[in-house]
Amino acid sequence: MLVTHTIDNTREELDKLRNNNKRIALVPTMGALHNGHLSLIRLARRHADHVVVTIFVNPKQFGPAEDFDSYPRDLDIDLEKCRNEKVELVFAPERSEVYDQDNYLSIRIESINRYMCGGSRPGFFEGVLLIVNKLFNIIKPDVAIFGQKDIQQFLIISRMVKEFNHNIELLMAPVERANDGLALSSRNAYLSDHERATAPGLFRSLQYIKNQIDQGVNTPSLLIEHQKSELEAKGFKIDYLDVFSFKTLEPVNTLSKDSGYIIAGAVWLGKTRLIDNLLIEL
Ligand code: PAF
């Protein structure tokens, strides 16, 4: 497995890998790799000849009061996991390799970041697009894989690919879950034992809302308020819990046939922010 730290070296190695039109798949990560990431790598493997993983905790997608400093990092363990998955190349740059000291340009997002995580984490998706745009330009993959757990991220990146004309196929991998339903996340490492036992409550609330909608509820607001109270009683602090349009990423009051929706929630358990979602097609 090749491990690169500079853009020039990455491009050189990729030129060799791309020999004879070999397909390259990219799995961008911030490290602290868990089975969710490994499922992205395995999906990537099915769609390309070579898999490239990037490991970079992107400072531009963290707010000033967020967990950039404490975000889990262990490059050696991550590299071992990539080696076991037979990843061909890992690009793990330093901050100074990726970001210039001077900063004159930024990416602005209209409306599709107003709600969900975009609503509660100002600047987050601008930071995500900045790094993903760079990684797309550095790696030039044929296909890139992102997880459904970060559904808004996937949909905003899809808009970027379309509007900035990246010639890249995007694939969304299903949410990988622990046996009790908790969506896997690097941030789960922050949970105490008690919080870890409580954490699957978010998934159960989403499932409950989905079941009710499947059974014909088409104005879910009361149902959602009730689930919020249940979660609060268990010790969760609600950031958001709602049904959003798959197309506009805005909350919807009345669901209609032939439309796609995202039942999504973000909650705090102590100092850990958890997100999860389920898709529903009526
Ligand atoms: O989903 C993540 O881990 C990050 O947002 C990403 C896509 C690697 C960009 O830093």
Side-chain angles (χ1 to χ4, degrees):
M1 188 177 78
L2 297 158
V3 181
T4 58
H5 301 285
T6 66
I7 295 170
D8 285 348
N9 188 215
T10 306
R11 286 188 165 141
E12 268 166 36
E13 295 298 344
L14 279 167
D15 281 348
K16 293 182 215 156
L17 286 179
R18 214 174 266 117
N19 194 13
N20 291 328
N21 289 330
K22 292 275 194 295
R23 265 173 78 81
I24 306 279
L26 168 64
V27 181
T29 80
M30 299 207 298
L33 302 182
H34 51 67
N35 283 337
H37 296 111
L38 303 188
S39 76
L40 304 186
I41 293 173
R42 288 170 198 155
L43 182 63
R45 169 74 56 215
R46 297 212 299 274
H47 289 266
D49 302 293
H50 299 303
V51 177
V52 174
V53 172
T54 59
I55 299 179
F56 180 63
V57 185
N58 173 32
K60 304 268 180 184
Q61 67 188 76
F62 288 80
E66 292 187 343
D67 57 343
F68 175 71
D69 289 333
S70 57
Y71 196 84
R73 294 166 171 85
D74 195 331
L75 186 59
D76 289 342
I77 292 182
D78 287 343
L79 292 179
E80 201 45 47
K81 289 182 180 170
C82 289
R83 233 170 246 122
N84 290 340
E85 293 298 322
K86 311 259 183 300
V87 166
E88 274 77 10
L89 188 148
V90 174
F91 174 46
E94 290 295 330
R95 179 182 185 146
S96 55
E97 182 67 14
V98 177
Y99 290 114
D100 210 277
Q101 291 259 318
D102 300 324
N103 189 197
Y104 297 106
L105 302 177
S106 64
I107 295 182
R108 205 179 74 210
I109 305 169
E110 296 294 340
S111 79
I112 50 174
N113 64 346
R114 189 171 305 151
Y115 299 98
M116 304 172 78
C117 291
S120 32
R121 301 184 67 188
F124 171 62
F125 286 115
E126 286 81 355
V128 169
L129 286 194
L130 197 59
I131 189 65
V132 172
N133 196 40
K134 281 170 176 283
L135 294 174
F136 283 177
N137 284 324
I138 295 165
I139 310 292
K140 296 210 172 302
D142 298 280
V143 53
I145 325 287
F146 297 86
Q148 185 198 315
K149 184 169 75 64
D150 301 294
I151 180 96
Q152 191 178 18
Q153 167 171 281
F154 178 81
L155 293 172
I156 291 179
I157 292 171
S158 302
R159 285 308 308 179
M160 180 181 77
V161 164
K162 188 169 178 340
E163 293 183 28
F164 291 6
N165 307 98
H166 284 288
N167 188 14
I168 298 172
E169 180 189 354
L170 293 185
L171 295 177
M172 183 171 79
V175 182
E176 199 68 20
R177 300 184 178 283
N179 289 339
D180 57 9
L182 176 66
L184 299 190
S185 161
S186 305
R187 290 191 168 96
N188 292 351
Y190 301 151
L191 295 168
S192 68
D193 289 349
H194 176 70
E195 288 166 346
R196 175 61 190 81
T198 311
L202 172 61
F203 175 54
R204 285 200 284 272
S205 279
L206 297 176
Q207 271 184 316
Y208 183 79
I209 297 168
K210 181 171 186 307
N211 286 342
Q212 294 295 306
I213 294 173
D214 282 339
Q215 284 170 36
V217 173
N218 69 348
T219 50
S221 56
L222 273 180
L223 177 67
I224 291 167
E225 287 316 309
H226 182 66
Q227 284 308 306
K228 283 185 182 170
S229 313
E230 298 257 303
L231 286 170
E232 277 164 355
K234 289 182 188 134
F236 290 93
K237 246 183 73 206
I238 312 292
D239 179 343
Y240 64 82
L241 182 73
D242 219 328
V243 179
F244 300 90
S245 152
F246 190 85
K247 195 159 165 238
T248 64
L249 300 178
E250 288 174 355
V252 222
N253 294 325
T254 308
L255 313 188
S256 48
K257 284 259 169 283
D258 301 322
S259 303
Y261 298 100
I262 308 164
I263 307 165
V267 293
W268 288 92
L269 260 186
K271 61 180 173 59
T272 312
R273 188 171 180 275
L274 303 172
I275 60 170
D276 201 350
N277 69 81
L278 296 173
L279 300 181
I280 191 158
E281 188 74 43
L282 293 186

mmCIF file with all atom_site columns, all heavy atoms in Angstrom, residues 28-30 37 56 58 61 124 128 131-132 146 150 153 157, ligand 1:
data_model
loop_
_atom_site.group_PDB
_atom_site.id
_atom_site.type_symbol
_atom_site.label_atom_id
_atom_site.label_alt_id
_atom_site.label_comp_id
_atom_site.label_asym_id
_atom_site.label_entity_id
_atom_site.label_seq_id
_atom_site.pdbx_PDB_ins_code
_atom_site.Cartn_x
_atom_site.Cartn_y
_atom_site.Cartn_z
_atom_site.occupancy
_atom_site.B_iso_or_equiv
_atom_site.pdbx_formal_charge
_atom_site.auth_seq_id
_atom_site.auth_comp_id
_atom_site.auth_asym_id
_atom_site.auth_atom_id
_atom_site.pdbx_PDB_model_num
ATOM   1   N N   . PRO A 1 28  ? -13.107 9.469  0.760  1.00 0.00 ? 28  PRO A N   1
ATOM   2   C CA  . PRO A 1 28  ? -12.557 10.527 1.615  1.00 0.00 ? 28  PRO A CA  1
ATOM   3   C C   . PRO A 1 28  ? -12.959 10.287 3.065  1.00 0.00 ? 28  PRO A C   1
ATOM   4   O O   . PRO A 1 28  ? -14.120 9.998  3.339  1.00 0.00 ? 28  PRO A O   1
ATOM   5   C CB  . PRO A 1 28  ? -13.232 11.815 1.105  1.00 0.00 ? 28  PRO A CB  1
ATOM   6   C CG  . PRO A 1 28  ? -14.008 11.430 -0.109 1.00 0.00 ? 28  PRO A CG  1
ATOM   7   C CD  . PRO A 1 28  ? -14.255 9.957  -0.024 1.00 0.00 ? 28  PRO A CD  1
ATOM   8   N N   . THR A 1 29  ? -12.012 10.409 3.998  1.00 0.00 ? 29  THR A N   1
ATOM   9   C CA  . THR A 1 29  ? -12.336 10.209 5.411  1.00 0.00 ? 29  THR A CA  1
ATOM   10  C C   . THR A 1 29  ? -11.564 11.217 6.263  1.00 0.00 ? 29  THR A C   1
ATOM   11  O O   . THR A 1 29  ? -10.614 11.850 5.793  1.00 0.00 ? 29  THR A O   1
ATOM   12  C CB  . THR A 1 29  ? -11.945 8.798  5.932  1.00 0.00 ? 29  THR A CB  1
ATOM   13  O OG1 . THR A 1 29  ? -10.538 8.780  6.218  1.00 0.00 ? 29  THR A OG1 1
ATOM   14  C CG2 . THR A 1 29  ? -12.272 7.702  4.934  1.00 0.00 ? 29  THR A CG2 1
ATOM   15  N N   . MET A 1 30  ? -11.983 11.298 7.520  1.00 0.00 ? 30  MET A N   1
ATOM   16  C CA  . MET A 1 30  ? -11.205 12.074 8.488  1.00 0.00 ? 30  MET A CA  1
ATOM   17  C C   . MET A 1 30  ? -10.500 11.115 9.441  1.00 0.00 ? 30  MET A C   1
ATOM   18  O O   . MET A 1 30  ? -10.125 11.494 10.567 1.00 0.00 ? 30  MET A O   1
ATOM   19  C CB  . MET A 1 30  ? -12.111 13.040 9.255  1.00 0.00 ? 30  MET A CB  1
ATOM   20  C CG  . MET A 1 30  ? -12.783 14.052 8.319  1.00 0.00 ? 30  MET A CG  1
ATOM   21  S SD  . MET A 1 30  ? -13.208 15.601 9.126  1.00 0.00 ? 30  MET A SD  1
ATOM   22  C CE  . MET A 1 30  ? -14.360 15.037 10.356 1.00 0.00 ? 30  MET A CE  1
ATOM   23  N N   . HIS A 1 37  ? -16.578 2.996  7.709  1.00 0.00 ? 37  HIS A N   1
ATOM   24  C CA  . HIS A 1 37  ? -15.613 3.359  6.657  1.00 0.00 ? 37  HIS A CA  1
ATOM   25  C C   . HIS A 1 37  ? -15.217 2.127  5.847  1.00 0.00 ? 37  HIS A C   1
ATOM   26  O O   . HIS A 1 37  ? -15.057 2.196  4.628  1.00 0.00 ? 37  HIS A O   1
ATOM   27  C CB  . HIS A 1 37  ? -14.346 3.960  7.275  1.00 0.00 ? 37  HIS A CB  1
ATOM   28  C CG  . HIS A 1 37  ? -14.556 5.252  7.992  1.00 0.00 ? 37  HIS A CG  1
ATOM   29  N ND1 . HIS A 1 37  ? -14.453 5.364  9.350  1.00 0.00 ? 37  HIS A ND1 1
ATOM   30  C CD2 . HIS A 1 37  ? -14.865 6.487  7.531  1.00 0.00 ? 37  HIS A CD2 1
ATOM   31  C CE1 . HIS A 1 37  ? -14.673 6.621  9.712  1.00 0.00 ? 37  HIS A CE1 1
ATOM   32  N NE2 . HIS A 1 37  ? -14.933 7.322  8.631  1.00 0.00 ? 37  HIS A NE2 1
ATOM   33  N N   . PHE A 1 56  ? -7.770  12.967 6.485  1.00 0.00 ? 56  PHE A N   1
ATOM   34  C CA  . PHE A 1 56  ? -7.429  14.362 6.781  1.00 0.00 ? 56  PHE A CA  1
ATOM   35  C C   . PHE A 1 56  ? -8.541  14.958 7.636  1.00 0.00 ? 56  PHE A C   1
ATOM   36  O O   . PHE A 1 56  ? -9.698  14.998 7.209  1.00 0.00 ? 56  PHE A O   1
ATOM   37  C CB  . PHE A 1 56  ? -7.296  15.169 5.472  1.00 0.00 ? 56  PHE A CB  1
ATOM   38  C CG  . PHE A 1 56  ? -6.956  16.618 5.682  1.00 0.00 ? 56  PHE A CG  1
ATOM   39  C CD1 . PHE A 1 56  ? -5.762  16.994 6.266  1.00 0.00 ? 56  PHE A CD1 1
ATOM   40  C CD2 . PHE A 1 56  ? -7.854  17.610 5.290  1.00 0.00 ? 56  PHE A CD2 1
ATOM   41  C CE1 . PHE A 1 56  ? -5.455  18.345 6.471  1.00 0.00 ? 56  PHE A CE1 1
ATOM   42  C CE2 . PHE A 1 56  ? -7.547  18.956 5.478  1.00 0.00 ? 56  PHE A CE2 1
ATOM   43  C CZ  . PHE A 1 56  ? -6.344  19.317 6.069  1.00 0.00 ? 56  PHE A CZ  1
ATOM   44  N N   . ASN A 1 58  ? -10.314 17.800 8.554  1.00 0.00 ? 58  ASN A N   1
ATOM   45  C CA  . ASN A 1 58  ? -10.402 19.066 7.833  1.00 0.00 ? 58  ASN A CA  1
ATOM   46  C C   . ASN A 1 58  ? -10.782 20.223 8.759  1.00 0.00 ? 58  ASN A C   1
ATOM   47  O O   . ASN A 1 58  ? -11.944 20.340 9.154  1.00 0.00 ? 58  ASN A O   1
ATOM   48  C CB  . ASN A 1 58  ? -11.457 18.898 6.724  1.00 0.00 ? 58  ASN A CB  1
ATOM   49  C CG  . ASN A 1 58  ? -11.767 20.200 6.015  1.00 0.00 ? 58  ASN A CG  1
ATOM   50  O OD1 . ASN A 1 58  ? -10.891 21.061 5.885  1.00 0.00 ? 58  ASN A OD1 1
ATOM   51  N ND2 . ASN A 1 58  ? -13.009 20.336 5.564  1.00 0.00 ? 58  ASN A ND2 1
ATOM   52  N N   . GLN A 1 61  ? -14.091 22.514 8.402  1.00 0.00 ? 61  GLN A N   1
ATOM   53  C CA  . GLN A 1 61  ? -15.481 22.109 8.606  1.00 0.00 ? 61  GLN A CA  1
ATOM   54  C C   . GLN A 1 61  ? -15.844 22.021 10.092 1.00 0.00 ? 61  GLN A C   1
ATOM   55  O O   . GLN A 1 61  ? -16.866 21.457 10.441 1.00 0.00 ? 61  GLN A O   1
ATOM   56  C CB  . GLN A 1 61  ? -15.798 20.802 7.863  1.00 0.00 ? 61  GLN A CB  1
ATOM   57  C CG  . GLN A 1 61  ? -15.096 19.569 8.376  1.00 0.00 ? 61  GLN A CG  1
ATOM   58  C CD  . GLN A 1 61  ? -15.321 18.362 7.474  1.00 0.00 ? 61  GLN A CD  1
ATOM   59  O OE1 . GLN A 1 61  ? -14.730 18.246 6.412  1.00 0.00 ? 61  GLN A OE1 1
ATOM   60  N NE2 . GLN A 1 61  ? -16.193 17.454 7.891  1.00 0.00 ? 61  GLN A NE2 1
ATOM   61  N N   . PHE A 1 124 ? -20.236 24.628 8.089  1.00 0.00 ? 124 PHE A N   1
ATOM   62  C CA  . PHE A 1 124 ? -19.800 23.231 8.016  1.00 0.00 ? 124 PHE A CA  1
ATOM   63  C C   . PHE A 1 124 ? -19.744 22.734 6.562  1.00 0.00 ? 124 PHE A C   1
ATOM   64  O O   . PHE A 1 124 ? -18.705 22.231 6.106  1.00 0.00 ? 124 PHE A O   1
ATOM   65  C CB  . PHE A 1 124 ? -20.758 22.366 8.856  1.00 0.00 ? 124 PHE A CB  1
ATOM   66  C CG  . PHE A 1 124 ? -20.565 20.889 8.698  1.00 0.00 ? 124 PHE A CG  1
ATOM   67  C CD1 . PHE A 1 124 ? -19.374 20.290 9.062  1.00 0.00 ? 124 PHE A CD1 1
ATOM   68  C CD2 . PHE A 1 124 ? -21.572 20.086 8.170  1.00 0.00 ? 124 PHE A CD2 1
ATOM   69  C CE1 . PHE A 1 124 ? -19.182 18.918 8.922  1.00 0.00 ? 124 PHE A CE1 1
ATOM   70  C CE2 . PHE A 1 124 ? -21.392 18.722 8.025  1.00 0.00 ? 124 PHE A CE2 1
ATOM   71  C CZ  . PHE A 1 124 ? -20.195 18.144 8.399  1.00 0.00 ? 124 PHE A CZ  1
ATOM   72  N N   . VAL A 1 128 ? -16.797 21.449 4.078  1.00 0.00 ? 128 VAL A N   1
ATOM   73  C CA  . VAL A 1 128 ? -16.792 20.116 3.466  1.00 0.00 ? 128 VAL A CA  1
ATOM   74  C C   . VAL A 1 128 ? -16.585 20.242 1.956  1.00 0.00 ? 128 VAL A C   1
ATOM   75  O O   . VAL A 1 128 ? -15.745 19.549 1.361  1.00 0.00 ? 128 VAL A O   1
ATOM   76  C CB  . VAL A 1 128 ? -18.113 19.354 3.771  1.00 0.00 ? 128 VAL A CB  1
ATOM   77  C CG1 . VAL A 1 128 ? -18.223 18.103 2.916  1.00 0.00 ? 128 VAL A CG1 1
ATOM   78  C CG2 . VAL A 1 128 ? -18.216 19.003 5.252  1.00 0.00 ? 128 VAL A CG2 1
ATOM   79  N N   . ILE A 1 131 ? -12.916 21.064 0.955  1.00 0.00 ? 131 ILE A N   1
ATOM   80  C CA  . ILE A 1 131 ? -11.938 19.962 0.978  1.00 0.00 ? 131 ILE A CA  1
ATOM   81  C C   . ILE A 1 131 ? -12.296 18.909 -0.075 1.00 0.00 ? 131 ILE A C   1
ATOM   82  O O   . ILE A 1 131 ? -11.413 18.391 -0.754 1.00 0.00 ? 131 ILE A O   1
ATOM   83  C CB  . ILE A 1 131 ? -11.799 19.331 2.394  1.00 0.00 ? 131 ILE A CB  1
ATOM   84  C CG1 . ILE A 1 131 ? -10.617 18.353 2.433  1.00 0.00 ? 131 ILE A CG1 1
ATOM   85  C CG2 . ILE A 1 131 ? -13.043 18.611 2.845  1.00 0.00 ? 131 ILE A CG2 1
ATOM   86  C CD1 . ILE A 1 131 ? -9.292  18.957 2.230  1.00 0.00 ? 131 ILE A CD1 1
ATOM   87  N N   . VAL A 1 132 ? -13.594 18.618 -0.239 1.00 0.00 ? 132 VAL A N   1
ATOM   88  C CA  . VAL A 1 132 ? -13.951 17.563 -1.191 1.00 0.00 ? 132 VAL A CA  1
ATOM   89  C C   . VAL A 1 132 ? -13.626 18.025 -2.620 1.00 0.00 ? 132 VAL A C   1
ATOM   90  O O   . VAL A 1 132 ? -13.129 17.253 -3.442 1.00 0.00 ? 132 VAL A O   1
ATOM   91  C CB  . VAL A 1 132 ? -15.438 17.148 -1.024 1.00 0.00 ? 132 VAL A CB  1
ATOM   92  C CG1 . VAL A 1 132 ? -15.868 16.203 -2.138 1.00 0.00 ? 132 VAL A CG1 1
ATOM   93  C CG2 . VAL A 1 132 ? -15.655 16.494 0.344  1.00 0.00 ? 132 VAL A CG2 1
ATOM   94  N N   . PHE A 1 146 ? -19.544 8.040  -0.445 1.00 0.00 ? 146 PHE A N   1
ATOM   95  C CA  . PHE A 1 146 ? -19.876 8.719  0.805  1.00 0.00 ? 146 PHE A CA  1
ATOM   96  C C   . PHE A 1 146 ? -20.990 7.929  1.484  1.00 0.00 ? 146 PHE A C   1
ATOM   97  O O   . PHE A 1 146 ? -21.742 7.215  0.825  1.00 0.00 ? 146 PHE A O   1
ATOM   98  C CB  . PHE A 1 146 ? -20.349 10.154 0.537  1.00 0.00 ? 146 PHE A CB  1
ATOM   99  C CG  . PHE A 1 146 ? -19.288 11.017 -0.098 1.00 0.00 ? 146 PHE A CG  1
ATOM   100 C CD1 . PHE A 1 146 ? -19.127 11.027 -1.481 1.00 0.00 ? 146 PHE A CD1 1
ATOM   101 C CD2 . PHE A 1 146 ? -18.438 11.786 0.676  1.00 0.00 ? 146 PHE A CD2 1
ATOM   102 C CE1 . PHE A 1 146 ? -18.138 11.802 -2.083 1.00 0.00 ? 146 PHE A CE1 1
ATOM   103 C CE2 . PHE A 1 146 ? -17.450 12.565 0.096  1.00 0.00 ? 146 PHE A CE2 1
ATOM   104 C CZ  . PHE A 1 146 ? -17.293 12.566 -1.282 1.00 0.00 ? 146 PHE A CZ  1
ATOM   105 N N   . ASP A 1 150 ? -24.402 10.649 6.574  1.00 0.00 ? 150 ASP A N   1
ATOM   106 C CA  . ASP A 1 150 ? -24.264 12.087 6.324  1.00 0.00 ? 150 ASP A CA  1
ATOM   107 C C   . ASP A 1 150 ? -25.019 12.424 5.037  1.00 0.00 ? 150 ASP A C   1
ATOM   108 O O   . ASP A 1 150 ? -24.435 12.873 4.055  1.00 0.00 ? 150 ASP A O   1
ATOM   109 C CB  . ASP A 1 150 ? -22.782 12.442 6.197  1.00 0.00 ? 150 ASP A CB  1
ATOM   110 C CG  . ASP A 1 150 ? -22.012 12.090 7.452  1.00 0.00 ? 150 ASP A CG  1
ATOM   111 O OD1 . ASP A 1 150 ? -22.276 12.706 8.485  1.00 0.00 ? 150 ASP A OD1 1
ATOM   112 O OD2 . ASP A 1 150 ? -21.166 11.173 7.411  1.00 0.00 ? 150 ASP A OD2 1
ATOM   113 N N   . GLN A 1 153 ? -24.696 15.863 3.498  1.00 0.00 ? 153 GLN A N   1
ATOM   114 C CA  . GLN A 1 153 ? -23.375 15.998 2.888  1.00 0.00 ? 153 GLN A CA  1
ATOM   115 C C   . GLN A 1 153 ? -23.385 15.371 1.492  1.00 0.00 ? 153 GLN A C   1
ATOM   116 O O   . GLN A 1 153 ? -22.924 15.961 0.516  1.00 0.00 ? 153 GLN A O   1
ATOM   117 C CB  . GLN A 1 153 ? -22.335 15.320 3.773  1.00 0.00 ? 153 GLN A CB  1
ATOM   118 C CG  . GLN A 1 153 ? -20.983 15.105 3.125  1.00 0.00 ? 153 GLN A CG  1
ATOM   119 C CD  . GLN A 1 153 ? -19.937 14.641 4.121  1.00 0.00 ? 153 GLN A CD  1
ATOM   120 O OE1 . GLN A 1 153 ? -19.403 15.427 4.870  1.00 0.00 ? 153 GLN A OE1 1
ATOM   121 N NE2 . GLN A 1 153 ? -19.611 13.361 4.111  1.00 0.00 ? 153 GLN A NE2 1
ATOM   122 N N   . ILE A 1 157 ? -22.826 17.469 -1.907 1.00 0.00 ? 157 ILE A N   1
ATOM   123 C CA  . ILE A 1 157 ? -21.688 17.130 -2.787 1.00 0.00 ? 157 ILE A CA  1
ATOM   124 C C   . ILE A 1 157 ? -22.216 16.757 -4.183 1.00 0.00 ? 157 ILE A C   1
ATOM   125 O O   . ILE A 1 157 ? -21.612 17.101 -5.202 1.00 0.00 ? 157 ILE A O   1
ATOM   126 C CB  . ILE A 1 157 ? -20.834 16.000 -2.171 1.00 0.00 ? 157 ILE A CB  1
ATOM   127 C CG1 . ILE A 1 157 ? -20.122 16.512 -0.907 1.00 0.00 ? 157 ILE A CG1 1
ATOM   128 C CG2 . ILE A 1 157 ? -19.800 15.468 -3.176 1.00 0.00 ? 157 ILE A CG2 1
ATOM   129 C CD1 . ILE A 1 157 ? -19.426 15.441 -0.094 1.00 0.00 ? 157 ILE A CD1 1
HETATM 130 O O1  . PAF B 2 .   ? -17.628 12.619 6.036  1.00 0.00 ? 1   PAF B O1  1
HETATM 131 C C1  . PAF B 2 .   ? -16.477 12.947 6.380  1.00 0.00 ? 1   PAF B C1  1
HETATM 132 O O2  . PAF B 2 .   ? -15.746 12.207 7.034  1.00 0.00 ? 1   PAF B O2  1
HETATM 133 C C2  . PAF B 2 .   ? -15.956 14.321 5.978  1.00 0.00 ? 1   PAF B C2  1
HETATM 134 O O3  . PAF B 2 .   ? -16.961 15.289 6.012  1.00 0.00 ? 1   PAF B O3  1
HETATM 135 C C3  . PAF B 2 .   ? -15.254 14.309 4.605  1.00 0.00 ? 1   PAF B C3  1
HETATM 136 C C4  . PAF B 2 .   ? -16.196 13.973 3.484  1.00 0.00 ? 1   PAF B C4  1
HETATM 137 C C5  . PAF B 2 .   ? -14.089 13.316 4.629  1.00 0.00 ? 1   PAF B C5  1
HETATM 138 C C6  . PAF B 2 .   ? -14.672 15.702 4.305  1.00 0.00 ? 1   PAF B C6  1
HETATM 139 O O4  . PAF B 2 .   ? -13.754 16.092 5.274  1.00 0.00 ? 1   PAF B O4  1
#
